[in-house]
Amino acid sequence: MKVVVQKAGSEAMTFEVEATDPILMLKCLTESVKPDLGPASEFHFTLKGVPLQDDDASLQDVGYCDGDVLMVACGEDGQTGDAPAPAAAAAAADPVAAQGHSGVAPTSGFAAVQIVVSMCKNEKSNGVYVPAVPYAGKSVWHKAGSAPEEAAAGAEGEG
């Protein structure tokens, strides 16, 4: 099913997803296409003027139909993105604190998926990427090195 997501005054984004996919996945897809909107955790979707509160609900559950438009507002309080969200203001005031690496790698949800990259021209990019500790509130994946890559990296460090 084609799903249209739009922020007021911005160009619409279209995603091809399943009717059973959760709203959270759409938020993550939206963030990946438009990272300037902020983190997916601060997106607020509305459908036909009704706020969608449950990120685990599917498009089918909320009654999304082809031709509908999910409107997205950004920020902790559903701000439009013109004014900085309180978290962004705090990060601007103390950027060092906002860059913390505390926490653990996610084990569930969209951020916990393993990503397999193959057939890249730069073969060093190919491989399996696993979830890592979030950085600055963003999901992070780390490439799991293969034995030959790790041996080559060790040999480079010895010279």
Side-chain angles (χ1 to χ4, degrees), residues 83-105:
D94 189 1
V96 174
Q99 301 293 323
H101 288 279
S102 62
V104 294

Side-chain angles (χ1 to χ4, degrees), residues 11 28-29 52 80-81 100 116 128 156:
E11 186 177 331
C28 293
L29 287 171
L52 303 181
T80 61
V116 178
V128 177
E156 288 174 7

Side-chain angles (χ1 to χ4, degrees), residues 74-159:
C74 310
E76 292 177 351
D77 298 318
Q79 299 173 5
T80 61
D82 298 331
D94 189 1
V96 174
Q99 301 293 323
H101 288 279
S102 62
V104 294
T107 58
S108 64
F110 186 77
V113 299
Q114 289 188 358
I115 301 170
V116 178
V117 177
S118 61
M119 300 177 61
C120 288
K121 287 183 181 180
N122 178 354
E123 291 189 19
K124 290 184 179 182
S125 297
N126 294 334
V128 177
Y129 292 77
V130 296
V133 175
Y135 178 75
K138 300 282 186 181
S139 298
V140 176
W141 285 266
H142 177 278
K143 182 178 177 192
S146 65
E149 286 176 336
E150 290 175 3
E156 288 174 7
E158 292 174 5

Side-chain angles (χ1 to χ4, degrees), residues 30 38-39 42 51 83 90 95 111 132:
T30 302
E42 294 183 9

Side-chain angles (χ1 to χ4, degrees), residues 4-22:
V4 178
V5 177
Q6 184 174 19
K7 179 181 175 220
S10 296
E11 186 177 331
M13 298 164 273
T14 304
F15 301 103
E16 187 70 35
V17 297
E18 299 294 322
T20 56
D21 288 336

Side-chain angles (χ1 to χ4, degrees), residues 53-69:
Q53 304 291 334
D54 184 5
D55 284 349
D56 294 326
S58 70
L59 293 164
Q60 188 175 31
D61 293 340
V62 300
Y64 186 91
C65 299
D66 282 333
D68 287 344
V69 177

